[in-house]
Amino acid sequence: MVDLSSHIRRGHPITFLTFTIISFIVAVIASTLVTDYNSKNNAPSMGVENAVRFLVFAGWWGFLFSIIYVGLFLTGKGGVITSIAGHGIWIFVTWVFWMAGAAALTDRIGGGQDCGNSFLVYCNSTSALMAFAWIGWIILTFMLAVVAFIGGGAFRGGKSVKEGLA
């Protein structure tokens, strides 16, 4: 089997830091929207408000744990947490969170909006939140596919998925 460890050591921090930035953007936009909804009591609907609140959770979850994973990966610590299986479990759970949040918001606002003719308060911010949520989900899909590929190669090669990613 081809040794991919040098590519993983280079690509892991880049991919995780990209996702960290996207997570931060989602968390900040969603947190700002929730703050405005709470202070002005002007959420377009309970469904939109709930979807945005869930994206606050998903955004901060992704931001916090991405930083932890990058730190543990770069220092070579973490054991089972930074193993192939640990990465796979965390990425899958996060992938589900982001898909649920992005899909719920997309459903509640009816997909892409023409903000000139929209019922949405803060239409541009809500549309940006939806776009960044889907971008984060796409990055997570890529990460999940890479971890599945590496895990499958490790399993076929007689190694354990408890071993480190690189």
Side-chain angles (χ1 to χ4, degrees):
M1 172 135 182
V2 177
D3 183 23
L4 298 174
S5 60
S6 66
H7 297 294
I8 294 167
R9 279 192 290 281
R10 189 176 320 117
H12 183 283
I14 292 169
T15 307
F16 266 77
L17 289 175
T18 302
F19 180 69
T20 300
I21 292 167
I22 297 297
S23 297
F24 184 73
I25 292 169
V26 165
V28 168
I29 293 172
S31 296
T32 303
L33 283 171
V34 167
T35 300
D36 287 344
Y37 291 161
N38 288 342
S39 67
K40 297 175 182 162
N41 198 24
N42 63 351
S45 70
M46 186 61 80
V48 170
E49 186 176 13
N50 288 339
V52 172
R53 285 179 187 272
F54 187 76
L55 283 170
V56 169
F57 163 73
W60 288 117
W61 164 278
F63 178 74
L64 175 67
F65 284 102
S66 291
I67 289 174
I68 291 170
Y69 265 87
V70 168
L72 291 174
F73 184 81
L74 291 176
T75 60
K77 300 192 183 338
V80 72
I81 294 172
T82 57
S83 68
I84 297 169
H87 272 82
I89 291 168
W90 179 80
I91 293 171
F92 178 75
V93 168
T94 305
W95 181 84
V96 170
F97 288 162
W98 279 67
M99 182 175 57
L105 183 61
T106 302
D107 177 60
R108 294 301 170 192
I109 67 172
Q113 292 290 311
D114 174 13
C115 289
N117 300 320
S118 179
F119 70 96
L120 279 175
V121 179
Y122 314 117
C123 179
N124 291 327
S125 297
T126 307
S127 295
L129 177 62
M130 180 185 70
F132 279 108
W134 283 116
I135 290 167
W137 179 79
I138 290 167
I139 292 169
L140 285 166
T141 301
F142 169 74
M143 292 164 67
L144 191 60
V146 169
V147 168
F149 175 76
I150 293 167
F155 190 71
R156 282 190 310 276
K159 297 180 182 175
S160 171
V161 292
K162 294 178 186 175
E163 293 183 23
L165 200 58

